[in-house]
Amino acid sequence: MSFPLLTATAVLPALGAVATAAVPAARRAAAKWLALLVSLATLALAVVVLVRFDPGGARYQLTESHSWIAAFGVRYELGVDGIGVALVALTALLIPFVVLAGWHDADTSPGSRSRSGGEGAKESGRPYHWRPTQGFFALILAVEAMVIVSFEATDVFLFYVFFEAMLIPMYFLIGGFGDRAHEHGEEAASTQRSYAAVKFLLYNLAGGLIMLAAVIGLYVVAGNFSLTEIAHARASGSLHMATSTERWLFLGFFFAFAVKAPLWPLHTWLPNAMGEATAPVAVLITAVVDKVGTFAMLRFCLQLFPEASKWATPVILVLAVISIIYGALLAVGQRDIKRLIAYASISHFGFIIMGIFAMTSQGQSGATLYMVNHGISTAALLLVAGFLISRRGSRLIADYGGVQKVAPVLAGTFLVGGLATLSLPGLAPFVSEFLVLVGTFTRHPAIGVIATLGIVLAALYTLVLYQRTMTGPVKPEVSAMPDLRVRELVVVAPLIVLLIFLGVYPKPVTDIVNPAVKQTMSDVHKTDPKPAVEAAK
């Protein structure tokens, strides 16, 4: 038997999570280094997967298939196409940076200093049993394992299990290890963290329950949960779904993915979750976990329900455009740095979903590339913002000013991350956003034109944010602010390099995803529209 490479990429961080949680309470440094080493080893495995993947080969590669719950036709089936392998690589790439950036985030648990092993624990006379540091990094590795399985699963039930299971560690990361910076003090911060965590959980559980009904309905219709078998049966005509049945099943799946993505009007949990989470956990939310939603639209909605996908396209495109404009407008008016980035992400996810349902190869290639590029650019901006907030102890934009004069490297990296967010030419997100707009305009010109307003608004909220925080007179509270330290530079510098490299040369990613996009277009029986005007000979 060949080595189960895909299983290994998921099992390694899962075992790492267990081992990290089991590290003795007094060995915090050991827990951190163990989590970092496990994340780097997972990245190495993901690189092997990437190298062994052949873009010109079979649609799903490195496949594994074993019986799991035979009575219900549930199998442990894994396989990656070009889209899945790109997102597995993105996830494995970002987790080491998340671990490094959060190196000290759990040294003292918010609101629980007496349990943190510090002076409060000694004064209280209580033994130290609670392990916030070990738990924090174990939960991060657990999320990584579940997300990777979600990108690899080709059994619908297997995907559903991990799609829902990842909510549990994310709930504790948001509610138990949230941001300590709050304008109304620690008690208000604790209340807001709890509210954000519960809201995140309830929204996503609601979507998941609706999807569960659709998963059961799919089994009743198809007799199994295998994505490849159902898709092949549909393509060959041996499995027929009534139009109404297909549409209801599509809506059940799409609703859950739209909550996770998130798409307006199901987006309201994201600003709370990102605002109250630490910066590394906010990266985990928007750059890793939320990508499962948009990925699943491509893998499951379009492949299993092609006719229903085309039927719903006009409404979804309208919702995507609303997300783009609405998210950008609310970002302009934010006073909180992290909530501004959260609303910007809602706008960006609107572009991704618009590209998916434009039903053109340029749109879907751009949407997939956007998932990768948004993950890198948002990680860079959020992590630098987290370093900034940790120095000042405030998320409010008004509490900053003149930072570039006292911390020029921090300000410079913040600017590059911001410029990537507004899709400046020469940085990675520009290529993906351009492809999405071109692909949309060729089939839905009105939608494409309206969506371009999001670019103008992105420039506004990004440059205003930089101007208010980094330029102008130096405020007394930031006059002694230190610049980026070595650990922080190690986190940010590779992300900046990747943004520039993929902005100039995106071919390595597009070569991997384009064949998968072509097959997805074939699933929905769509071809690119011919140019309205023939090129002059």
Side-chain angles (χ1 to χ4, degrees):
M1 293 179 63
S2 60
F3 181 73
L5 198 53
L6 297 186
T7 293
T9 58
V11 168
L12 181 58
L15 293 176
V18 174
T20 301
V23 171
R27 304 291 300 275
R28 294 186 179 190
K32 295 175 183 180
W33 282 106
L34 177 59
L36 180 60
L37 290 174
V38 169
S39 66
L40 290 172
T42 305
L43 174 58
L45 279 177
V47 170
V48 175
V49 170
L50 199 59
V51 170
R52 290 190 57 184
F53 182 82
D54 178 13
R59 180 170 191 170
Y60 294 106
Q61 300 179 33
L62 306 174
T63 56
E64 303 171 31
S65 181
H66 308 280
S67 180
W68 182 18
I69 309 174
F72 297 100
V74 179
R75 299 186 62 82
Y76 175 81
E77 286 189 348
L78 303 180
V80 286
D81 60 0
I83 300 168
V85 78
L87 293 175
V88 167
L90 172 69
T91 302
L93 171 70
L94 291 180
I95 297 302
F97 297 124
V98 168
V99 170
L100 266 178
W103 203 250
H104 299 299
D105 282 2
D107 285 352
T108 301
S109 177
S112 306
R113 293 184 181 274
S114 64
R115 296 181 292 171
S116 67
E119 294 180 1
K122 296 176 182 177
E123 293 171 1
S124 67
R126 293 194 300 269
Y128 171 68
H129 296 300
W130 194 57
R131 299 190 292 270
T133 300
Q134 290 86 334
F136 179 73
F137 292 104
L139 290 170
I140 290 174
L141 293 176
V143 172
E144 178 182 23
M146 294 174 184
V147 169
I148 287 176
V149 174
S150 298
F151 290 141
E152 295 174 344
T154 56
D155 182 277
V156 176
F157 189 83
L158 177 67
F159 169 83
Y160 175 78
V161 168
F162 286 93
F163 180 81
E164 289 294 280
M166 69 180 71
L167 301 180
I168 299 170
M170 286 306 308
Y171 168 80
F172 288 109
L173 283 170
I174 297 167
F177 300 92
D179 200 340
R180 303 165 195 162
H182 197 284
E183 59 183 309
H184 299 302
E186 175 58 33
E187 186 176 348
S190 178
T191 302
Q192 289 300 314
R193 285 194 299 270
S194 298
Y195 172 77
V198 170
K199 189 173 183 179
F200 162 83
L201 188 65
L202 291 180
Y203 266 66
N204 284 275
L205 278 178
L209 288 174
I210 292 173
M211 181 181 169
L212 177 60
V215 168
I216 295 171
L218 180 66
Y219 176 77
V220 171
V221 173
N224 65 78
F225 292 105
S226 173
L227 172 68
T228 53
E229 290 182 17
I230 296 172
H232 182 266
R234 297 225 61 195
S236 65
S238 59
L239 173 61
H240 174 73
M241 288 188 194
T243 300
S244 59
T245 301
E246 181 177 350
R247 290 177 179 179
W248 280 112
L249 294 178
F250 167 85
L251 290 173
F253 276 75
F254 181 81
F255 183 86
F257 303 151
V259 172
K260 184 85 79 179
L263 178 69
W264 184 92
L266 305 172
H267 67 284
T268 59
W269 63 267
L270 183 65
N272 296 100
M274 286 182 63
E276 300 307 324
T278 61
V281 173
V283 170
L284 206 57
I285 295 169
T286 190
V288 177
V289 171
D290 288 355
K291 297 298 185 299
V292 177
T294 47
F295 162 79
M297 292 178 190
L298 279 165
R299 171 164 282 190
F300 295 101
C301 287
L302 269 60
Q303 195 170 343
L304 292 176
F305 315 111
E307 296 304 319
S309 297
K310 290 185 285 187
W311 162 75
T313 287
V315 174
I316 294 173
L317 288 177
V318 170
L319 294 177
V321 169
I322 293 174
S323 288
I324 292 169
I325 306 303
Y326 174 86
L329 282 173
L330 265 65
V332 171
Q334 289 303 304
R335 301 186 304 122
D336 182 307
I337 295 174
K338 288 201 293 183
R339 287 179 71 91
L340 185 152
I341 299 172
Y343 280 109
S345 289
I346 291 169
S347 181
H348 295 149
F349 275 104
F351 277 108
I352 294 171
I353 295 169
M354 184 177 74
I356 292 171
F357 285 90
M359 300 295 180
T360 61
S361 57
Q362 299 99 325
Q364 292 185 359
S365 292
T368 305
L369 188 60
Y370 212 138
M371 293 186 220
V372 176
N373 292 339
H374 173 265
I376 299 170
S377 63
T378 302
L381 182 60
L382 261 174
L383 293 178
V384 178
F387 299 148
L388 178 70
I389 292 167
S390 67
R391 284 159 166 74
R392 174 66 177 84
S394 173
R395 306 197 311 249
L396 297 180
I397 297 171
D399 287 343
Y400 297 87
V403 174
Q404 67 180 10
K405 296 176 183 177
V406 297
V409 178
L410 188 154
T413 52
F414 190 81
L415 178 61
V416 175
L419 293 176
T421 297
L422 64 83
S423 299
L424 183 76
L427 296 175
F430 169 77
V431 181
S432 44
E433 196 164 283
F434 178 78
L435 285 172
V436 166
L437 287 170
V438 169
T440 303
F441 187 82
T442 56
R443 198 180 291 278
H444 307 281
I447 294 291
V449 169
I450 297 171
T452 56
L453 180 59
I455 301 175
V456 179
L457 294 171
L460 179 61
Y461 62 68
T462 300
L463 297 178
V464 168
L465 172 64
Y466 184 83
Q467 180 188 37
R468 292 177 178 174
T469 55
M470 302 297 167
T471 66
V474 179
K475 290 199 171 184
E477 295 85 357
V478 304
S479 59
M481 180 178 288
D483 213 336
L484 292 182
R485 303 178 179 90
V486 174
R487 173 181 60 86
E488 295 165 336
L489 282 171
V490 170
V491 170
V492 176
L495 297 174
I496 300 297
V497 170
L498 275 173
L499 286 175
I500 296 171
F501 175 77
L502 292 177
V504 176
Y505 190 65
K507 190 173 183 293
V509 180
T510 56
D511 283 351
I512 291 172
V513 304
N514 281 345
V517 166
K518 183 178 179 181
Q519 290 167 326
T520 302
M521 288 285 291
S522 176
D523 290 334
V524 293
H525 311 294
K526 283 282 191 178
T527 57
D528 291 328
K530 294 181 179 179
V533 180
E534 295 292 336
K537 296 182 179 180

